[in-house]
Amino acid sequence: HDIVGPRKPVAVKTKTALLCPSGAGIFPHYYGINKEQWIREKTAYLESQGWRVILRDKPARRSREERDNGRLYEQLHAENIGITVSIHSVTPVESLIAGVPAIVEGRHAGGSIATPWSEFESTGNIRTPHETEVDAWVDRLCYDTYHKSEIYDGMWYKGAP
């Protein structure tokens, strides 16, 4: 629960959207479009609704660890981001724990507390779950997660001794 520095309640604080596309390879494979098309479409829609859009093209891991605002939560706080928009991503995890609502599309890790793009687009609704909902969701994510040593030795399948 403390992987994002100081936690904040989930709320839309500004009209700034951080667009967080996945790597280019997933787009044609899973969604039949290319990354640039997805970025253009989402940016156009968000701007038409009055959002300022910032693109976060996922930097290499070394770059994320070595520079200021390299981690997503650091950028969310430093740039006062109002929402994140992602596709096929774990972005919603860090976003929601950091207090920034997540709009999601495709496969994602946001569970029921993230807002599906289709819901956002058709209703304008943005889910802002209470801290207890976020905590329960994080607990569930952790409960369903295994360390690689548990996978390698079959512990995930056998259960605890």
Side-chain angles (χ1 to χ4, degrees), residues 28-46:
H29 182 72
Y30 288 98
Y31 306 106
I33 61 171
N34 65 45
K35 181 178 178 176
E36 292 74 25
Q37 179 183 357
W38 185 85
I39 291 169
R40 279 193 310 273
E41 289 174 2
K42 297 308 178 237
T43 299
Y45 179 79
L46 290 163

Side-chain angles (χ1 to χ4, degrees), residues 27-158:
F27 287 89
H29 182 72
Y30 288 98
Y31 306 106
I33 61 171
N34 65 45
K35 181 178 178 176
E36 292 74 25
Q37 179 183 357
W38 185 85
I39 291 169
R40 279 193 310 273
E41 289 174 2
K42 297 308 178 237
T43 299
Y45 179 79
L46 290 163
E47 288 177 345
S48 78
Q49 300 301 305
W51 292 89
R52 178 176 157 252
V53 178
I54 298 172
L55 175 64
R56 178 185 171 90
D57 240 347
K58 187 175 180 178
R61 178 165 303 282
R62 181 180 293 281
S63 173
R64 292 192 311 262
E65 293 170 350
E66 291 179 352
R67 65 184 178 90
D68 289 340
N69 296 336
R71 294 282 309 274
L72 176 60
Y73 81 87
E74 293 170 329
Q75 185 176 4
L76 296 173
H77 292 165
E79 297 185 30
N80 203 22
I81 301 298
I83 61 171
T84 57
V85 178
S86 62
I87 183 170
H88 205 98
S89 180
V90 298
T91 295
V93 173
E94 207 165 332
S95 181
L96 288 159
I97 295 172
V100 178
I103 312 296
V104 295
E105 191 173 38
R107 297 177 177 190
H108 63 84
S112 64
I113 64 172
T115 307
W117 175 264
S118 59
E119 177 182 327
F120 171 69
E121 190 175 32
S122 65
T123 68
N125 181 54
I126 299 172
R127 297 178 187 181
T128 54
H130 186 270
E131 184 177 351
T132 56
E133 293 174 282
V134 175
D135 286 346
W137 165 72
V138 169
D139 289 344
R140 182 65 194 184
L141 285 175
C142 291
Y143 177 76
D144 289 340
T145 304
Y146 296 94
H147 187 271
K148 64 182 176 183
S149 65
E150 294 172 308
I151 294 170
Y152 293 148
D153 71 11
M155 195 63 144
W156 67 274
Y157 180 75
K158 295 182 243 176

